[in-house]
Amino acid sequence: MKTKKPVPLPYPTDQIEAISRDLMPKPFGLSGKIWVAVLSVIFLTGLYFYIEQFRFGLGITAMRDYSTWGIYIANFVFFVAISLVGSLVSAILKLSGARLRTPLTRISEMIAVSSIIFAALVIIVDMGRPDRFLNVIFHARIQSPITWDVIVISTYLTISLLLFYLPLIPDLAFMRDRYVGIPAWQKKMYTFLALGWNSHPGQEKILRRAEQILAILIIPVAFGIHTVTSWLFATTLRPGWDSNDFGPYFVSGAFMVGAGGVIAAMYIFRTHYSNWDKYLTDKHFEFMGRLLVLLSLVYLYFNINEYFVPAYKMKGGEAEHLRALFHGRYAPLFWSVQFFGMVLPIIVLMFRRGRKPLPMFIISIFVIVGAWFKRFLIVVPTLSHPYIPMDRLPESWQHYIPTFKEWSITAGTLAGALLIVTLLARFFPAIPIVETIEEAKPDHNFEEIS
Amino acid sequence: MSTIRLIRLFTKSLLVSISLCFLPGLSVAQSEPSDSADTGKPETSIELMYNEANNHSKVLTATVKTNVKDTYEAVKGISVNFYQKEVGPENLLGTSSSNDKGVAILVVPEDKLSKTSVDYTFIAASENDAKFEDNQEEISVSESDFVMTLEQGDSSRQVLIKLQAPDANGTMAPVAEVEVRLYVQRLFGLLALSVDPETTDENGEISVDFPAGIPGDSAGNLIIVAKVEEHEKFGNLEFQRKISWGTPLIIDPNKNRRELWSSRANAPLYLIFIINTMLIGIWGVIAYIVYEVFKIWKLGRQKAS
């Protein structure tokens, strides 16, 4: 096989070699293999129970006449929320010229792509008859928020994939030319996906323009995806959902959990790969910590609006719903989520010491777990308190306690999303290599990129 | 804590016992599952109801259920024999098989009914079934005459109800203090005309002003229904009549056409326009980006060649 001459890069070779050695995707070590095995087992367990659900129907879940939406939909909202991080880092930070964003963009896009794929899959999991999914398209009512959701999710997925792929092209070419000792199929994959990239000025001009357009385009679509998701709730007349603020409430919460997701991933990558503390520095954590405080404060503001105003009035069915949250059966979960998932991160991250990598990693886990249960609290208690009184129902139908199989399927989707991020990081650089090399130049002009 | 629980339990038990002792036997009767230790076959419960509609058709409804994991499930396809007075071939009124909901229905043949008595005892029995234990349930009802008439004056519309039953001499006499409910038939059920039921006076009569403004069909027709429900002596009695006392429902085909709540074929034009414009705009940009990617590939090929 004839070896192509590598595309020349105008930098010192030793520096290029050091960066590429650090950032090139590496085969799994023992801990990586264990991590993938554990995720695969959880994912396959979920798949097994999903096949059972497919055969026997949603009867295997705890969803009944009243709680028609359970942890599947809470999980869907969570996935949509965390996927917004792609637009936050790749678009908003890019357009605002944030210098420290470079090592965060690819990680964010990996999280965004995997989350949005599973958001779409979870909707199908929630369908009793998934074979009828195409009816949503072929018999769509344009007036229905569900139709809007299908449209906006597929659009966001497409843009996220492009926003993941386009900045990857120079890195793919770099690996095509310089990555040695890898299987032939991997080399072929890089060659195919690199689209013949050779740093031609025309190619660079096109790529830069395309990235810029996508960065602008994804912002309204990202706002749209989570606003429409919030409208799935807010356009129905139910306690807890009947709100005008649900769009910004959901979007602000999504950015918050997205930032938490990036911080957790940053910490794991930094500790797992050697020398990555040179690329994901304390400054990056400091930057993300400040961003997370800001996003948490915005979300806190919307939370106060969402709960304080109806609690002040305490009218009818709304009051029953709020009592269940404040001091009823959901109170322990509600107050835990509010405190550990929102108040505590704000307090800790206000201090410089709290914005160090390890405390931030712990806080980000609180934020992510809190965000998942927050979606549970948005979806489930409302359905347990309908305006029409529950009458002549079996006791078990009046409450929603997810079954083991439901939990397994949900855990399977979460593991699946993590598995996609893991596999993407296995074959593609989680930190852009070429961009990092360019930025390592002493005379590099950041404004040029931003 | 445990003392309070004990007191609550005792109070509940006492109330249930008192209720069971003093409640009269209703025309809806339900049997308890019997001991099946001998055959080992599952037990059934039978709920038997008597319904009479428009003063002529007498209907017996038996609902058969069985206990599965502490819940009662309908028994489908079980054969139920209906008898009068007592179980025996000479008293057999007919046989019916239960449907998906475990319900077996028999329209009582008038020619087989006893002509000598105005009090009837009906029995529903599942017998010699291959899967289930034998069981039976009986119900006693009396003959009655339940009539509803509708009168229209110059400015009023009245619903008149009269309930009579044979006295000791066999002559029809008014029945007082019987609760009657009035309804109007709607698409998915019955709309009650009042919260509380009406009660027959000493003449066995009820007179109710019928409210104006209830929407009917295109000709203004309504179906008015009077019911005596689960009476201990007469069972379920029903009388219904159709009359044009409603407001004609005129559907303007031009109204409610293109609205948010219309069918997909009648979506508002502005919504179709906005969504399609957004779709074309965004997906047009995506298509442009894909074309740009194609150009990158083309430039790469040119350089390579």
Side-chain angles (χ1 to χ4, degrees):
Chain A
M1 187 182 161
K2 195 180 172 184
T3 316
K4 271 190 186 174
K5 197 181 169 189
V7 177
L9 285 166
Y11 315 117
T13 314
D14 56 341
Q15 194 170 356
I16 294 172
E17 277 180 4
I19 292 174
S20 63
R21 192 174 52 241
D22 291 340
L23 300 184
M24 286 276 199
K26 294 171 185 64
F28 292 127
L30 180 64
S31 57
K33 284 175 183 165
I34 293 171
W35 170 248
V36 170
V38 170
L39 290 179
S40 302
V41 167
I42 298 171
F43 176 72
L44 290 173
T45 308
L47 186 66
Y48 171 81
F49 285 120
Y50 176 68
I51 292 167
E52 190 177 326
Q53 181 185 300
F54 185 77
R55 287 178 64 203
F56 301 109
L58 287 172
I60 72 157
T61 72
M63 289 186 282
R64 295 293 182 267
D65 280 21
Y66 283 86
S67 291
T68 48
W69 284 353
I71 55 173
Y72 293 160
I73 294 298
N75 201 27
F76 160 72
V77 180
F78 172 80
F79 275 130
V80 173
I82 204 164
S83 75
L84 254 65
V85 70
S87 66
L88 174 72
V89 177
S90 300
I92 297 173
L93 295 187
K94 179 186 172 76
L95 295 173
S96 63
R99 290 187 176 193
L100 295 170
R101 65 166 185 88
T102 304
L104 314 179
T105 49
R106 188 73 45 75
I107 297 172
S108 310
E109 281 308 325
M110 285 174 173
I111 294 172
V113 166
S114 64
S115 303
I116 201 67
I117 287 172
F118 270 91
L121 288 175
V122 165
I123 283 293
I124 295 171
V125 165
D126 189 61
M127 294 177 73
R129 290 287 303 270
D131 52 303
R132 292 184 179 176
F133 175 74
L134 289 178
N135 289 357
V136 179
I137 295 162
F138 295 135
H139 304 287
R141 271 183 81 244
I142 203 86
Q143 303 101 308
S144 166
I146 289 176
T147 305
W148 308 341
D149 214 34
V150 171
I151 292 171
V152 80
I153 284 176
S154 49
T155 307
Y156 188 72
L157 174 60
T158 309
I159 299 175
S160 294
L161 283 170
L162 283 170
L163 210 48
F164 171 70
Y165 175 58
L166 291 189
L168 190 64
I169 293 174
D171 284 350
L172 290 164
F174 187 87
M175 291 189 292
R176 174 198 64 195
D177 299 339
R178 289 180 165 77
Y179 204 170
V180 290
I182 54 170
W185 67 265
Q186 199 172 337
K187 195 89 172 171
K188 276 183 187 168
M189 179 179 75
Y190 293 145
T191 308
F192 174 75
L193 291 174
L195 299 173
W197 180 267
N198 47 30
S199 296
H200 185 284
Q203 286 181 320
E204 285 189 351
K205 190 180 166 191
I206 291 171
L207 187 68
R208 195 161 295 182
R209 189 174 57 211
E211 282 179 28
Q212 196 80 1
I213 292 170
L214 280 177
I216 295 167
L217 186 68
I218 200 168
I219 295 173
V221 177
F223 274 72
I225 187 174
H226 218 39
T227 305
V228 168
T229 303
S230 80
W231 287 350
L232 294 177
F233 301 92
T235 50
T236 59
L237 190 63
R238 286 177 181 276
W241 295 353
D242 189 18
S243 162
N244 295 339
D245 292 335
F246 247 41
Y249 172 50
F250 269 48
V251 171
S252 60
F255 282 142
M256 183 188 162
V257 62
V262 171
I263 292 167
M266 279 165 65
Y267 183 81
I268 292 167
F269 282 127
R270 177 181 148 122
T271 50
H272 186 70
Y273 294 119
S274 58
N275 290 334
W276 275 44
D277 51 352
K278 286 195 295 189
Y279 308 95
L280 294 167
T281 63
D282 284 9
K283 274 188 182 175
H284 291 96
F285 280 89
E286 169 77 18
F287 171 71
M288 285 304 294
R290 284 167 186 255
L291 186 65
L292 185 55
V293 171
L294 172 70
L295 296 168
S296 304
L297 283 169
V298 174
Y299 192 46
L300 178 68
Y301 166 75
F302 278 109
N303 265 271
I304 292 168
N305 269 279
E306 277 306 312
Y307 293 111
F308 175 74
V309 176
Y312 192 83
K313 293 182 281 191
M314 276 291 183
K315 59 179 183 185
E318 202 81 39
E320 200 182 331
H321 168 245
L322 289 172
R323 276 189 213 105
L325 292 179
F326 293 165
H327 46 79
R329 58 183 285 126
Y330 297 107
L333 186 60
F334 177 79
W335 292 114
S336 301
V337 163
Q338 298 294 340
F339 180 75
F340 292 108
M342 198 157 38
V343 177
L344 188 67
I346 291 170
I347 294 169
V348 172
L349 298 177
M350 284 276 191
F351 297 95
R352 187 176 289 274
R353 280 187 181 177
R355 295 196 294 270
K356 295 290 175 197
L358 182 61
M360 277 190 63
F361 173 66
I362 296 166
I363 286 297
S364 70
I365 298 298
F366 278 133
V367 168
I368 295 166
V369 175
W372 195 94
F373 282 103
K374 173 73 178 165
R375 273 73 193 165
F376 177 89
L377 286 168
I378 289 172
V379 175
V380 173
T382 286
L383 293 170
S384 306
H385 299 98
Y387 284 126
I388 298 170
M390 292 182 181
D391 197 18
R392 296 177 189 179
L393 277 181
E395 171 67 15
S396 63
W397 289 30
Q398 297 180 23
H399 310 291
Y400 170 71
I401 299 165
T403 61
F404 173 75
K405 291 169 185 175
E406 239 173 320
W407 280 117
S408 300
I409 293 169
T410 302
T413 60
L414 291 166
L418 287 173
L419 207 52
I420 288 184
V421 174
T422 309
L423 293 175
L424 287 175
R426 163 67 186 85
F427 294 107
F428 305 107
I431 292 178
I433 300 174
V434 175
E435 211 173 337
T436 306
I437 291 170
E438 282 183 16
E439 286 185 3
K441 280 168 67 181
D443 58 340
H444 176 72
N445 181 3
F446 277 92
E447 295 306 313
E448 206 176 293
I449 286 178
S450 62
Chain B
M1 192 69 180
S2 57
T3 317
I4 295 170
R5 277 188 184 165
L6 274 174
I7 292 169
R8 278 184 186 163
L9 190 67
F10 174 72
T11 317
K12 275 185 185 172
S13 311
L14 195 66
L15 283 171
V16 170
S17 310
I18 291 168
S19 307
L20 288 173
C21 290
F22 290 96
L23 272 179
L26 297 177
S27 60
V28 181
Q30 184 162 352
S31 66
E32 288 300 317
S34 56
D35 186 9
S36 64
D38 296 343
T39 61
K41 290 193 279 189
E43 305 154 0
T44 59
S45 76
I46 300 176
E47 185 187 61
L48 182 58
M49 293 174 74
Y50 171 83
N51 301 281
E52 190 172 326
N54 280 22
N55 226 3
H56 51 83
S57 54
K58 295 176 170 59
V59 178
L60 291 169
T61 307
T63 306
V64 189
K65 291 184 177 176
T66 187
N67 194 334
V68 180
K69 294 179 185 170
D70 296 333
T71 56
Y72 278 95
E73 287 188 2
V75 177
K76 181 188 170 187
I78 193 167
S79 183
V80 179
N81 296 325
F82 293 92
Y83 301 95
Q84 62 174 330
K85 291 181 186 168
E86 58 189 32
V87 175
E90 68 281 6
N91 296 322
L92 183 68
L93 294 169
T95 300
S96 175
S97 189
S98 65
N99 62 15
D100 288 353
K101 293 176 182 171
V103 177
I105 297 172
L106 180 82
V107 179
V108 178
E110 290 284 338
D111 58 324
K112 288 189 179 177
L113 272 180
S114 167
K115 301 288 187 295
T116 56
S117 174
V118 291
D119 296 321
Y120 307 117
T121 297
F122 296 111
I123 300 159
S126 62
E127 299 164 300
N128 305 321
D129 189 84
K131 292 181 188 167
F132 294 97
E133 186 76 4
D134 286 2
N135 194 9
Q136 65 180 52
E137 183 52 42
E138 71 173 48
I139 190 172
S140 296
V141 290
S142 297
E143 187 68 81
S144 63
D145 182 29
F146 181 61
V147 182
M148 174 175 71
T149 50
L150 306 173
E151 287 189 357
Q152 180 157 11
D154 291 338
S155 59
S156 68
R157 291 160 171 174
Q158 279 203 317
V159 180
L160 303 171
I161 289 160
K162 190 168 182 68
L163 177 62
Q164 298 181 100
D167 61 10
N169 304 319
T171 53
M172 297 305 270
V175 184
E177 299 296 322
V178 174
E179 288 186 346
V180 179
R181 283 189 177 273
L182 282 172
Y183 301 96
V184 173
Q185 179 75 54
R186 303 280 83 184
L187 190 61
F188 294 111
L190 296 171
L191 170 72
L193 286 181
S194 61
V195 177
D196 298 318
E198 307 291 338
T199 308
T200 53
D201 60 15
E202 67 274 12
N203 298 319
E205 292 177 350
I206 293 169
S207 173
V208 177
D209 287 334
F210 190 80
I214 296 179
D217 61 12
S218 56
N221 287 319
L222 292 174
I223 295 172
I224 301 171
V225 183
K227 278 187 168 192
V228 173
E229 292 167 330
E230 298 184 3
H231 191 270
E232 60 190 49
K233 192 174 176 188
F234 304 119
N236 295 301
L237 307 176
E238 180 178 322
F239 203 102
Q240 56 174 264
R241 286 190 62 183
K242 186 175 180 180
I243 191 163
S244 59
W245 280 3
T247 308
L249 186 67
I250 299 162
I251 299 171
D252 180 357
N254 296 316
K255 199 181 167 189
N256 298 335
R257 274 191 66 81
R258 291 199 174 273
E259 301 288 355
L260 280 173
W261 48 89
S262 303
S263 66
R264 61 191 290 266
N266 288 322
L269 288 174
Y270 70 86
L271 194 67
I272 296 172
F273 175 76
I274 290 170
I275 291 181
N276 280 302
T277 305
M278 286 166 70
L279 273 176
I280 292 166
I282 293 170
W283 280 92
V285 175
I286 292 171
Y288 171 72
I289 298 288
V290 172
Y291 173 67
E292 292 287 277
V293 170
F294 172 72
K295 274 167 57 178
I296 291 175
W297 173 73
K298 217 172 165 186
L299 277 171
R301 279 176 68 89
Q302 279 174 8
K303 183 87 181 281
S305 63

